[in-house]
Amino acid sequence: MAYMIWITGACNLKCKYCYEGIEKINKHMSPEISKQTIQFIIDDFDPSSHNELLINFHGGEPFLQVELMEYFIHNIKKQFDNQCSLMFSATTNATLLSQQVIDFIVENNMDITVSLDGKKESHDKQRVFGDGRGSFDLALKNSLKLLNYNRNLRVRMTVNTNNVMELYDNIEFLILQGFRVIVPGIDIFDKSWNEESVEKLRLEILKIKKKYGKSNDLKISLCEPLNYCGTYCSAGMNTKHIYYTGDLYPCTVVCGYKEFSIGNVYEGTDRKKIQNLQKNISPLYESCQHCDVKNYCSAARCSLINKLATGDFHRPTEIECNLTNILYEVNGIC
């Protein structure tokens, strides 16, 4: 069971492609809601039914609120230590990873993902501070420090039409820096994808696969066979997102959209809202029904992302379909 806790809506960067928007909400989870969030998890999570409990800290930039992170980790450990396997994780822009913060991460064995887009030119083109300065130098320096403690530190890249032509070079740069786990994410909210840029994406993936696809020491998601995921969206059932307001949501991308709220930490999960949501997201889009890779495609399953990206629960973006077919062509299925 996983709980994603949005401890802040604030961020110290203004990344140009951020799905949360460039201008963030400068608000944090209050002490009262934080306390109630812990009580909600205690009431909601049953160690006799689940042997793993994952707590993911989300933002904004979660390390703007390290003290709040410490509060949650201390109290969750106090309640559930020796009852189940406890895991803590976060994704960070890596600009706030002082030695003190790194020591905190190591001490609590946190699973960290850092956001790096590759070379300085690519990274600084889109991952910038509020005054327009690029964040590359600081983000890379801090990420390399953390890499000394965890050789399998995960790097998350964002790929859109502004940097797709540099995908191979950016991945190679990260490999040469010593990173071994690289997860490029395709920006499905980028409206500029077209036939030309999709073909460029395919050629870049083929180059990556040819050079690094057989390496046992690397884990590059674009070089891996597609996993079976089915076409059923279990939003709000196996994972709950707790927004800094105390509202509960079924999925990362819809947090803050009140129409998708499925309860709050005071009253608990509204089962009727989840049932109604499942009714909306269940049927497959007509064009997906006869697709050979529908059971291996996140677009056929992730209906809430489809809703935000296309306005229709059942209609995926073209880039998601194209990417899945490219990965099927290059890597096959498990």
Side-chain angles (χ1 to χ4, degrees), residues 175-201:
I175 291 170
L176 293 174
Q177 298 302 307
F179 297 103
R180 302 191 299 185
V181 183
I182 302 171
V183 184
I186 307 302
D187 183 3
I188 66 168
F189 295 102
D190 181 356
K191 304 296 185 184
S192 298
W193 287 105
N194 56 27
E195 189 174 329
E196 181 182 351
S197 54
V198 167
E199 177 60 14
K200 185 59 181 174
L201 174 63

Side-chain angles (χ1 to χ4, degrees), residues 32-214:
E32 179 191 338
I33 293 175
S34 300
K35 182 179 179 180
Q36 186 60 37
T37 294
I38 291 172
Q39 187 60 52
F40 167 77
I41 294 173
I42 290 171
D43 295 338
D44 190 71
F45 179 73
D46 181 4
S48 65
S49 301
H50 303 277
N51 58 12
E52 290 185 348
L53 172 58
L54 169 63
I55 304 294
N56 176 267
F57 297 106
H58 204 83
E61 168 51 47
F63 284 99
L64 284 169
Q65 290 292 304
V66 178
E67 290 184 2
L68 192 49
M69 243 188 250
E70 290 176 329
Y71 171 80
F72 275 110
I73 290 176
H74 172 76
N75 284 281
I76 294 295
K77 281 183 175 180
K78 182 179 176 181
Q79 179 65 34
F80 293 109
D81 242 0
N82 303 319
Q83 295 189 53
C84 61
S85 174
L86 273 176
M87 293 171 286
F88 300 98
S89 65
T91 297
T92 175
N93 61 37
T95 62
L96 300 174
L97 302 183
S98 65
Q99 188 58 51
Q100 183 178 357
V101 171
I102 290 175
D103 290 342
F104 165 74
I105 289 170
V106 174
E107 179 185 342
N108 290 286
N109 196 28
M110 293 184 70
D111 184 17
I112 298 296
T113 299
V114 295
S115 295
L116 291 168
D117 282 352
K119 298 181 301 178
K120 180 178 177 67
E121 299 78 20
S122 289
H123 184 99
D124 282 350
K125 195 187 302 180
Q126 302 184 103
R127 301 190 63 82
V128 297
F129 290 101
D131 60 5
R133 288 180 298 117
S135 61
F136 173 83
D137 292 336
L138 187 56
L140 180 64
K141 182 182 75 171
N142 291 341
S143 296
L144 290 174
K145 284 183 184 178
L146 191 55
L147 187 65
N148 289 327
Y149 296 88
N150 179 7
R151 300 307 298 169
N152 291 314
L153 178 65
R154 188 186 302 107
V155 176
R156 171 62 156 80
M157 305 169 64
T158 296
V159 182
N160 60 18
T161 52
N162 289 320
N163 62 10
V164 65
M165 69 291 298
E166 301 154 355
L167 178 57
Y168 173 88
D169 290 341
N170 284 329
I171 287 180
E172 185 165 68
F173 171 83
L174 292 171
I175 291 170
L176 293 174
Q177 298 302 307
F179 297 103
R180 302 191 299 185
V181 183
I182 302 171
V183 184
I186 307 302
D187 183 3
I188 66 168
F189 295 102
D190 181 356
K191 304 296 185 184
S192 298
W193 287 105
N194 56 27
E195 189 174 329
E196 181 182 351
S197 54
V198 167
E199 177 60 14
K200 185 59 181 174
L201 174 63
R202 188 182 75 87
L203 294 175
E204 291 287 294
I205 292 174
L206 283 170
K207 283 173 64 179
I208 297 161
K209 178 74 173 183
K210 183 177 180 180
K211 182 155 185 184
Y212 297 110
K214 294 182 180 180

